[in-house]
Amino acid sequence: MSRERRRGPVKVLVVSSGLLLLILALAVWQTRHGAQPAEQSEIIRRDSSVGVPDVDRDVLKFREQALPFRYARGETGSAWPVEVTGGGVGLLDFNGDGKLDIFLVQGGDPRPGMPATANDVLLVNRGGGRFEDVSSAVGLVPRGYGQGVAVADYDGDGDLDLYVTRYGKNTLWRNDRDRGRFLDVTAEAGVAVGTWSLGAAFADYDGDGDLDLYVANYFQFDQARTPFRRDPATGAADYGLPQDFPGLPDTLFRNEGHGRFVDVTASAGIAGQARGMGVVAADFNQDGRIDWLVANDAQANALWINRGDGRFEDQADTLGLAVNGQGSAEANMGITRGDTDGDGIEDVAITHFFGEHTTLWRAQRDPNGGLFYQDQTSEAGLALESRPVTGWGVVLADFDQDGWLDLIQANGHIRREPGQMYRYENPPLLWRGTPGGRFTNVTASAGSYFAGRWMGRGLAAGDLDGDGDLDLVVVHHHAPASILWNDTAKRGRFVILDLQGLPPNRDAVGAQARVQAGGRIFVRSVIGGGSYVSASDRRLHFGLGNASRIDSVEIRWPSGRVTTLDDVPLDSVRVVKETH
């Protein structure tokens, strides 16, 4: 896939070094892959040793369980580009029983005029590794060709709702927990969009307390002109490159309350027609306001910085997130955010196309105290081993709870490219974070799933079995979705913070928690969006290594209020409620 260049004079040198790195990467892979009062919170204890098998105690280890779900691509025979992009997953406690359930977006047939026959799927967690498909019982009827999902309590009624992006009209499923059903409220909410949407994120950008909605839209194509390319060897229909198509403008909806949104894209200054894929809502410049980072395919990323007056300005270039360190605009897909080097500031990683690499931008302080981001992919040890794959879903999380974030990504090619090591299915990638911020590739020892090859897409993390560590759900094309149970034996201490903001922002999107333990400070934020068209558990998980106690917890809420706690036990889930 070709890429835009920002620095003309460096162009030849960048290409040459890129080819050299790719050759080295292929060789590496061939060898490796044969202050609030305490009464405002509740404590739910977890025994972190329950169910831990007798495995190698020095590695990350996961056990695969296939789920009763396959994403339906709806092959048209003409290589429509929409066939390769879908497959989002969201984790949420739908029914309030304390266990995470799994929502899976379904595809179907993308051709206009064809009846929608495939419905989105809800698998309710019955415990003990058992999941029940209750989709029909909870009202999930077919609504079109699905791509991804964002999870949030947009109406502030105390239960989590679902926004599904589609090729065609998107769907807002409102969770009516009292009746045990989801209701399609798209029309009355005014959030259908009606083009081709991928990523989406809820967050309160205007500070009025309710959650607004950003939708990343991809590109437009003329269905009558398919196929757009053909395989030069066989003549078979092949998928076009993103550069073959004009991008679509993104959409920003402001929540007006009472279940209604209004499109404020133009008045907010969200401009341009990029090919948006992943999106994250967070405070990227630490000014206390929500910004939007959008991963644009084969174009510079957009970082819409919130000016505080209802308008945004794209400062991706100024802050260093537009392109990689070589000045290249890559095929940006999934986004994850977290403090990878222990400096107390959260960094950004984005997955990319084959021949590029997963890029890690680390946050830095400028002399005036402001933030900028610097590409430190090579320094972190991520560059070579991510080049042979096409990355989609991505998560930064501490799977062994040693106090350092690990990195996992789901991979799978779109089309046949010269020089590919893998045809379509790719191995997933798993790196273990180490002190100093360098990552070690532990894919080969992580379990049988990681020895296989998959067409991975959506990826989400959460504690599905209540043992305190983070499990994963990954969606594939041409194979069932999977749970990856975290069976890592050597685990540090942990705490999970379930932040509950004042309504209407009960999800506390935008809140940041700082935990001091074992001589270190650990930072996590409640974000909107993330990964690739997927939603991880909204609760904040902290691995604390061998800490003997938690010294303090500080939560800064989006409202500006601060809660401090000094009585939080290790190995527990703490519910913390914001108060006036």
Side-chain angles (χ1 to χ4, degrees), residues 209-227:
D210 52 26
L211 296 179
D212 312 298
L213 174 63
Y214 191 105
V215 183
N217 299 313
Y218 198 32
F219 61 68
Q220 53 186 325
F221 65 93
D222 181 356
Q223 302 144 356
R225 293 181 55 233
T226 54

Side-chain angles (χ1 to χ4, degrees), residues 382-394:
L382 298 172
L384 291 179
E385 292 160 333
S386 57
R387 283 186 180 272
V389 300
T390 295
W392 300 84
V394 60

Side-chain angles (χ1 to χ4, degrees), residues 29 33 427-431 440-447 450-451:
W29 267 82
H33 287 274
L429 278 171
L430 177 63
W431 291 273
T440 299
N441 190 334
V442 295
T443 308
S445 59
F450 291 86

Side-chain angles (χ1 to χ4, degrees), residues 167-249:
Y167 176 59
K169 292 182 179 180
N170 300 338
T171 307
L172 179 58
W173 294 111
R174 184 173 70 81
N175 185 349
D176 186 350
R177 186 188 294 176
D178 292 340
R179 296 168 57 189
R181 297 183 63 80
F182 283 105
L183 305 175
D184 181 352
V185 296
T186 312
E188 60 197 77
V191 291
V193 182
T195 53
W196 179 6
S197 304
L198 290 176
F202 285 95
D204 176 18
Y205 80 83
D206 55 2
D208 64 355
D210 52 26
L211 296 179
D212 312 298
L213 174 63
Y214 191 105
V215 183
N217 299 313
Y218 198 32
F219 61 68
Q220 53 186 325
F221 65 93
D222 181 356
Q223 302 144 356
R225 293 181 55 233
T226 54
F228 297 96
R229 298 210 176 193
R230 291 191 179 275
D231 187 312
T234 66
D238 205 354
Y239 297 102
L241 298 175
Q243 296 91 327
D244 296 340
F245 309 97
L248 291 166

Side-chain angles (χ1 to χ4, degrees), residues 188-191 205-206 212-213 251-257 259-265 267:
E188 60 197 77
V191 291
Y205 80 83
D206 55 2
D212 312 298
L213 174 63
T251 308
L252 177 61
F253 292 104
R254 187 179 66 222
N255 192 334
E256 298 288 277
R260 291 286 304 171
F261 291 79
V262 60
D263 185 340
V264 296
T265 309
S267 62

Side-chain angles (χ1 to χ4, degrees), residues 320-387:
L321 286 169
V323 296
N324 66 18
Q326 290 75 46
S328 299
E330 300 171 293
N332 305 284
M333 297 184 180
I335 310 177
T336 186
R337 186 170 184 260
D339 179 9
T340 62
D341 52 3
D343 64 355
I345 316 173
E346 290 166 289
D347 312 308
V348 173
I350 295 181
T351 56
H352 295 113
F353 195 73
F354 155 78
E356 299 167 341
H357 56 59
T358 297
T359 304
L360 175 65
W361 288 269
R362 283 195 166 127
Q364 312 287 320
R365 293 272 184 208
D366 65 31
N368 298 318
L371 283 188
F372 68 96
Y373 293 82
Q374 185 178 59
D375 182 348
Q376 294 190 6
T377 309
S378 295
E379 294 89 332
L382 298 172
L384 291 179
E385 292 160 333
S386 57
R387 283 186 180 272

Side-chain angles (χ1 to χ4, degrees), residues 73-320:
R73 283 169 49 130
E75 310 281 358
T76 62
S78 298
W80 284 27
V82 71
E83 296 167 14
V84 301
T85 54
V89 54
L91 303 183
L92 71 158
D93 181 3
F94 156 70
N95 52 12
D97 65 355
K99 296 188 289 289
L100 286 178
D101 309 306
I102 302 172
F103 178 85
L104 296 145
V105 176
Q106 187 54 285
D109 191 328
R111 293 173 296 177
M114 300 300 291
T117 57
N119 57 267
D120 302 324
V121 170
L122 179 67
L123 301 179
V124 167
N125 190 341
R126 299 303 187 195
R130 295 177 297 109
F131 291 84
E132 180 184 356
D133 186 342
V134 298
S135 310
S136 298
V138 301
L140 294 176
V141 295
R143 281 293 181 265
Y145 192 82
Q147 298 285 277
V149 61
V151 178
D153 180 8
Y154 83 92
D155 53 1
D157 65 352
D159 47 37
L160 291 170
D161 312 296
L162 302 161
Y163 184 73
V164 178
T165 59
R166 303 190 190 276
Y167 176 59
K169 292 182 179 180
N170 300 338
T171 307
L172 179 58
W173 294 111
R174 184 173 70 81
N175 185 349
D176 186 350
R177 186 188 294 176
D178 292 340
R179 296 168 57 189
R181 297 183 63 80
F182 283 105
L183 305 175
D184 181 352
V185 296
T186 312
E188 60 197 77
V191 291
V193 182
T195 53
W196 179 6
S197 304
L198 290 176
F202 285 95
D204 176 18
Y205 80 83
D206 55 2
D208 64 355
D210 52 26
L211 296 179
D212 312 298
L213 174 63
Y214 191 105
V215 183
N217 299 313
Y218 198 32
F219 61 68
Q220 53 186 325
F221 65 93
D222 181 356
Q223 302 144 356
R225 293 181 55 233
T226 54
F228 297 96
R229 298 210 176 193
R230 291 191 179 275
D231 187 312
T234 66
D238 205 354
Y239 297 102
L241 298 175
Q243 296 91 327
D244 296 340
F245 309 97
L248 291 166
D250 293 341
T251 308
L252 177 61
F253 292 104
R254 187 179 66 222
N255 192 334
E256 298 288 277
H258 308 290
R260 291 286 304 171
F261 291 79
V262 60
D263 185 340
V264 296
T265 309
S267 62
I270 305 295
Q273 290 184 278
R275 294 179 285 265
M277 300 193 85
V279 59
V280 166
D283 180 4
F284 286 94
N285 61 351
Q286 292 193 333
D287 65 354
R289 296 189 289 263
I290 288 290
D291 314 304
W292 316 98
L293 175 61
V294 185
N296 290 322
D297 194 1
Q299 291 176 283
N301 297 314
L303 176 56
W304 296 106
I305 293 294
N306 191 339
R307 295 177 14 174
D309 59 358
R311 293 183 60 79
F312 293 82
E313 180 182 356
D314 184 3
Q315 295 185 15
D317 198 36
T318 303
L319 295 185

